[in-house]
Amino acid sequence: MHNKILNFFDFTEQKVRRRYSTVHLKDTTFRDQKHGWEPIKFYIANDNQMIKLVKLKALLKSNFVMILLFGLIGGLQGIAFCKPCWESTKTFLLNYASSGSFWMVLTGGSILSVALADKSMAWLDNPLKRFLIGLTYMVVITIVGFLIVFLFFRVVVYGRTLENAMSVLDIGDFAGPLFITFGVNAFMHGRSFLLAWRQDAINYEKLKTEQIATQYDSLKNQVNPHFLFNSLNALTSLVHDDQDKAVEFIRKLSQVYRYVLDTKDKEVVAINEEMDFLMSYLYLQKIRFDENLQYHIHIPESAEHSFIVPISLQMLLENAIKHNIVSQSRPLHVEIIAEEDYLTVRNNLQEKMHKDSTGIGLSNIKDRYSYMTRKEVIINKTETHFEVKLPLIKSID
Amino acid sequence: MRTLIVEDEKLAANRLSMLVKELRPSWDVGQRTDSIEDTVAVLGEEQFDLIFLDVQLSDGISFEIFNRCEVKVPVIFTTAYDEYAVKAFKVNSVDYLLKPLDKNELSDALD
């Protein structure tokens, strides 16, 4: 079941999990507050489960080809400078076998030491510590591996006694194997480091995309359920009073929701499209609020080919209605005017007493514009008026 | 029976008074207000037997009315969205109706 995890080439998956629980802690906390996710807990819980001993067999099996290749090529080193090897086939084969075995065992040892070191610590958490741990594993495993192969060939293949074999063993004999494993290890560690690094970069990009996506989602939710249910309620009385109007109302309502769905994946829309949508939305609101809601719209031809962020205009209008008194004695006046570089939405300020404002709407608009243009969304609040200026995006890059 | 309909949307108020009229032809459903301000003023001057109260009013959330004056009359809340239900039970509400209003539900509430 966990073969995938045990496979060395997929070993990075384990690191990915670990990365999430550490480096991205800050980022995920940020998401946490905004959307109530709990990715941190999830990954930490997973992390503990993931720290399992990597089975040697599975590890070596998945790297069998690499080990064999190192053995075959590295084995040549043992016979290249050995003159007698080229005179007798038996000597050649024996030497090639022993040399190749050294390479294979030491390569396997290297892989194991990298895997063990990876398991005990991720590269990017503490590179120095990780390096020292890797080094320790390497030296220990190399010495053990070397002794096993050495004694195997001396005792089993050449038929010497254990004492005899041990007596010819010189401390200098370890230098060669250590040199080999050092090289293999450097290669393996470098590889694991690069993989971890790349994965980290991928994770970061993913995270960024996700954040944008969630911001977009929450924005889409701004066309809120209050609006829908209030509209449906208004419709129930319209159906009795004025059937033609009710039909028109349903048509406009469906236009509004179709637009929200259609622009779901768009970053910007032509100002005309947004205005059509806004007019449908205004129609619905006028039915609900009648003379209590007044508006004035002026979009000069010169501005018609500009772009804006979808639904931003409607959100501002919805905000104005949500936060201000819209009554017969105190009607709300909204102006939507396009000028040189900005589209301005202005309303007379007559705030409701109890505002359950989250401020998400406006900051969402600001965030979304920040991805599209360097010009900022300008918000002006005076004693009498509230005004938001949306930058007009002239061309889509 | 004399009722007060507190509702900031004219169409919604029409619908409600029409339904009540159908169910209880003898009741006086003519009184309406659309804001916290007006409601508090009207409640200070006149007597009612039942209040239909929309949660979102033109100048705020209608719970504010209970902070401003004492309401002894039973209240039926009407709202489009049910995030305020729990709060409604803390004041003297007899029922809580979701818009669009259902005649049967209203009938049950009046009983």
Side-chain angles (χ1 to χ4, degrees), chain A residues 237 288 325 353-354 356, chain B residues 9 11 58-59 64 68 84:
Chain A
S237 20
R288 291 176 55 202
I325 296 171
M353 285 171 248
H354 265 271
D356 50 340
Chain B
E9 290 180 35
L11 283 171
S58 61
D59 58 351
E64 177 68 19
R68 297 252 199 119
Y84 293 107

Side-chain angles (χ1 to χ4, degrees), chain A residues 151-318:
Chain A
L151 292 176
F152 175 81
F153 272 90
R154 286 295 147 110
V155 178
V156 180
V157 180
Y158 291 98
R160 306 212 181 146
T161 60
L162 194 62
E163 286 84 356
N164 181 275
M166 288 299 279
S167 66
V168 295
L169 188 64
D170 182 22
I171 203 80
D173 291 337
F174 287 104
L178 266 176
F179 191 71
I180 294 170
T181 37
F182 194 84
V184 176
N185 249 291
F187 169 70
M188 299 300 295
H189 279 301
R191 182 169 159 279
S192 103
F193 178 77
L194 280 177
L195 285 175
W197 196 7
R198 193 193 61 166
Q199 194 59 51
D200 215 51
I202 292 171
N203 285 348
Y204 178 67
E205 282 304 315
K206 262 191 197 162
L207 207 75
K208 237 169 53 179
T209 325
E210 261 174 42
Q211 279 169 359
I212 296 171
T214 30
Q215 278 164 1
Y216 270 63
D217 278 351
S218 61
L219 171 94
K220 294 286 148 49
N221 290 334
Q222 293 291 313
V223 176
N224 66 34
H226 274 284
F227 168 70
L228 177 63
F229 290 115
N230 276 320
S231 295
L232 291 175
N233 191 49
L235 190 60
T236 51
S237 20
L238 264 189
V239 167
H240 292 286
D241 300 348
D242 188 342
Q243 273 93 13
D244 290 341
K245 226 175 182 180
V247 170
E248 187 63 13
F249 190 93
I250 293 169
R251 236 171 47 78
K252 300 281 188 191
L253 188 62
S254 65
Q255 274 171 9
V256 163
Y257 276 90
R258 183 171 300 119
Y259 182 83
V260 173
L261 291 173
D262 283 351
T263 56
K264 203 169 67 187
D265 305 315
K266 291 185 183 166
E267 290 165 338
V268 290
V269 288
I271 206 166
N272 289 345
E273 290 177 49
E274 178 87 359
M275 281 314 295
D276 287 345
F277 158 68
L278 194 80
M279 292 318 288
S280 300
Y281 180 77
L282 270 169
Y283 177 90
L284 300 176
Q285 296 292 28
K286 278 292 275 182
I287 296 255
R288 291 176 55 202
F289 295 110
D290 209 8
E291 293 305 304
N292 305 351
L293 176 68
Q294 308 279 345
Y295 62 85
H296 168 73
I297 294 173
H298 179 66
I299 311 283
E301 260 178 53
S302 59
E304 274 176 15
H305 300 291
S306 306
F307 295 87
I308 60 172
V309 165
I311 324 198
S312 54
L313 210 48
Q314 180 269 342
M315 270 177 72
L316 292 176
L317 205 75
E318 188 164 347

Side-chain angles (χ1 to χ4, degrees), chain A residues 368-394:
Chain A
R368 293 175 71 199
Y369 267 100
S370 71
Y371 297 121
M372 300 299 150
T373 172
R374 250 174 276 172
K375 283 187 281 183
E376 274 193 41
V377 173
I378 301 167
I379 299 165
N380 291 321
K381 189 176 177 179
T382 65
E383 288 279 298
T384 54
H385 285 85
F386 186 78
E387 168 183 278
V388 179
K389 283 171 173 273
L390 301 176
L392 290 177
I393 301 161
K394 297 291 180 186

Side-chain angles (χ1 to χ4, degrees), chain A residues 122-165:
Chain A
W123 262 118
L124 301 166
D125 286 347
N126 193 337
L128 183 68
K129 238 181 177 172
R130 169 67 179 72
F131 175 73
L132 291 176
I133 291 171
L135 203 67
T136 314
Y137 276 125
M138 185 195 91
V139 171
V140 173
I141 289 174
T142 303
I143 291 173
V144 173
F146 174 76
L147 275 178
I148 291 170
V149 179
F150 179 84
L151 292 176
F152 175 81
F153 272 90
R154 286 295 147 110
V155 178
V156 180
V157 180
Y158 291 98
R160 306 212 181 146
T161 60
L162 194 62
E163 286 84 356
N164 181 275

